[in-house]
Amino acid sequence: MISVIIPIYNAEPYLSRCIDSVLCSDYTDFELILVDDGSTDGCLRICQAYAERDPRITVLSQKNQGVSAARNRGLELCRGEWVVFVDADDRISPDHLSLVAGTEDADLLLFDFAEDPEELTVGPRSGKVFRYGSLDISGLVERVLTPRQLRKDGQVNFRSSNAKAFKKEIIDRCGLRFDPDISYGEDKLFNLNYIFRIERFAYLPVPVYFYETHPGSLTHTLRPDALNELITLMEKLQTVLEQYSPSTATAQFYNHWVLDHICFALTDLIFSSPLPKTPREQYAICAYLRKKTILYPALKQNLRLGPLERRIFLFFFSLGWYRAVRTLHFTARLRQKLREYGRIAVGNE
């Protein structure tokens, strides 16, 4: 059996479509756990109506604690051999679960994201499976930090917990959970903790998941405490990597990731945030960020790593020349480039 866990918070316009995409699966041996995380709209009512019609559905309701706590609640009660996570405003393909059930000899299954929802139903679907062993785990870790595809034309989002399948036995044996202290990058942290516990994984180059982009899906970038959460994520990732993969190569990939996310912090959380900030306030936040010791190793490597635009931009930041950083940010061509790095850094987190 497969356990499908959907954390839900104020997703009423999209929820029925999401649930229907699971119920329309051509594989029927699954349980669907709907965890309402204190929604203030009609989500709980919708969930209860579905549960009355289908005995495979379990509805859980809790006070608002965040997506990590909602997923953890589902993990506590699910009974499937595989665990699949779906977000309440997204949808999956009819064959996603059958592809999971039909794949053996793997601890983790990776699938492609769809660029268009029509891709979810286009056939015939490829049955090809690429298998990887313990020697490939380090490469998978690197791809979580600096995205590169396993195969040409792949569309795997290594940082997301979606479009994947996790073994429940490994999750339980290792006591793995999503970190409730962060709401930004919690998928990445969970994925890395899980990857370090596996011996083999498989990649099925089939688009099974469509990530719905709408204004509400990006609110994590607008939270007033997003900058502090980003710093917390850096610290937690560093701890995990130092414990399980303390190699020079991994450290360099981590530094790449940190530099990308400093760009993201400057461009999206400081200079382009809708939260009102004067230039003086922006410079003060830049100074606050620059004082964080977690950034020092990456900034020392800045002039040797990554594209020229990023190196120039972060060189001025490392010197504390915040006026120059702000000026560069608002230079049209450079801003476009830096935002591209930000999108690479953030992905569908």
Side-chain angles (χ1 to χ4, degrees):
M1 186 176 68
I2 298 172
S3 297
V4 181
I5 299 175
I6 303 181
I8 301 163
Y9 179 71
N10 288 354
E12 184 174 4
Y14 316 97
L15 182 56
S16 292
R17 183 180 62 195
C18 175
I19 295 175
D20 288 339
S21 76
V22 178
L23 297 181
C24 289
S25 296
D26 54 23
Y27 185 80
T28 59
D29 189 11
F30 66 85
E31 63 174 352
L32 176 56
I33 301 179
L34 306 175
V35 186
D36 182 75
D37 188 42
S39 297
T40 57
D41 58 7
C43 283
L44 183 57
R45 173 182 50 79
I46 293 173
C47 292
Q48 292 168 338
Y50 272 98
E52 290 175 359
R53 302 196 299 267
D54 195 318
R56 296 173 297 181
I57 298 177
T58 299
V59 179
L60 305 174
S61 180
Q62 63 184 31
K63 293 181 180 179
N64 180 245
Q65 301 174 55
V67 64
S68 292
R71 287 174 179 155
N72 290 343
R73 183 85 182 279
L75 286 174
E76 291 169 4
L77 297 180
C78 69
R79 299 171 291 114
E81 177 184 353
W82 289 101
V83 177
V84 171
F85 296 104
V86 181
D87 289 345
D89 47 1
D90 300 336
R91 63 191 105 162
I92 64 172
S93 67
D95 61 352
H96 184 12
L97 301 187
S98 61
L99 290 169
V100 172
T103 307
E104 299 178 349
D105 299 323
D107 299 322
L108 170 68
L109 303 182
L110 308 173
F111 297 88
D112 283 343
F113 273 69
E115 295 183 345
D116 186 288
E118 296 298 322
E119 293 182 53
L120 299 181
T121 55
V122 172
R125 312 280 280 193
S126 170
K128 191 163 188 178
V129 180
F130 297 97
R131 299 186 180 277
Y132 303 85
S134 57
L135 296 178
D136 302 303
I137 299 299
S138 60
L140 187 56
V141 170
E142 293 167 3
R143 283 169 169 82
V144 175
L145 296 172
T146 56
R148 292 176 294 117
Q149 292 300 321
L150 289 165
R151 312 286 299 185
K152 184 179 179 181
D153 300 325
Q155 294 290 334
V156 179
N157 184 337
F158 297 96
R159 298 172 176 183
S160 171
S161 61
N162 307 127
K164 294 174 181 62
F166 303 86
K167 278 287 183 69
K168 178 67 159 50
E169 185 272 332
I170 294 177
I171 291 174
D172 287 347
R173 171 164 47 85
C174 300
L176 300 179
R177 292 294 186 268
F178 290 85
D179 193 324
D181 294 333
I182 57 175
S183 60
Y184 170 81
E186 70 284 346
D187 289 30
K188 183 190 296 92
L189 189 59
F190 178 86
N191 288 353
L192 280 177
N193 272 304
Y194 184 89
I195 289 168
F196 284 124
R197 268 70 172 206
I198 68 175
E199 297 180 356
R200 53 197 174 180
F201 63 97
Y203 168 45
L204 290 77
V206 178
V208 301
Y209 194 100
F210 180 70
Y211 176 80
E212 187 72 46
T213 301
H214 55 86
S217 67
L218 299 177
T219 52
H220 65 276
T221 63
L222 312 180
R223 292 165 56 92
D225 57 348
L227 187 60
N228 286 327
E229 290 193 357
L230 177 58
I231 298 299
T232 300
L233 175 62
M234 290 180 179
E235 294 169 344
K236 290 178 180 289
L237 282 177
Q238 184 183 64
T239 299
V240 172
L241 293 172
E242 288 178 348
Q243 179 178 359
Y244 293 103
S245 184
S247 69
T248 302
T250 301
Q252 181 163 308
F253 282 105
Y254 172 74
N255 287 335
H256 265 296
W257 178 84
V258 171
L259 294 172
D260 276 340
H261 278 73
I262 297 174
C263 278
F264 165 66
L266 293 169
T267 58
D268 285 55
L269 301 181
I270 298 177
F271 294 127
S272 294
S273 172
L275 301 174
K277 297 187 187 77
T278 65
R280 184 182 295 273
E281 291 172 326
Q282 291 172 346
Y283 301 154
I285 298 173
C286 286
Y288 168 78
L289 177 63
R290 181 168 163 263
K291 291 178 182 178
K292 295 297 180 180
T293 57
I294 192 71
L295 307 183
Y296 292 175
L299 287 174
K300 287 181 179 179
Q301 299 292 320
N302 174 56
L303 293 180
R304 293 191 291 271
L305 295 177
L308 179 62
E309 294 89 351
R310 190 185 73 182
R311 282 182 279 156
I312 295 172
F313 187 66
L314 295 184
F315 173 70
F316 287 120
F317 170 75
S318 66
L319 294 177
W321 296 0
Y322 308 130
R323 187 184 299 273
V325 173
R326 187 173 186 272
T327 301
L328 287 173
H329 166 71
F330 286 108
T331 301
R333 179 180 176 277
L334 185 61
R335 180 178 181 179
Q336 179 182 356
K337 287 286 185 182
L338 293 171
R339 289 188 69 82
E340 287 175 2
Y341 304 144
R343 284 194 293 272
I344 291 173
V346 177
N348 289 338
E349 295 174 353

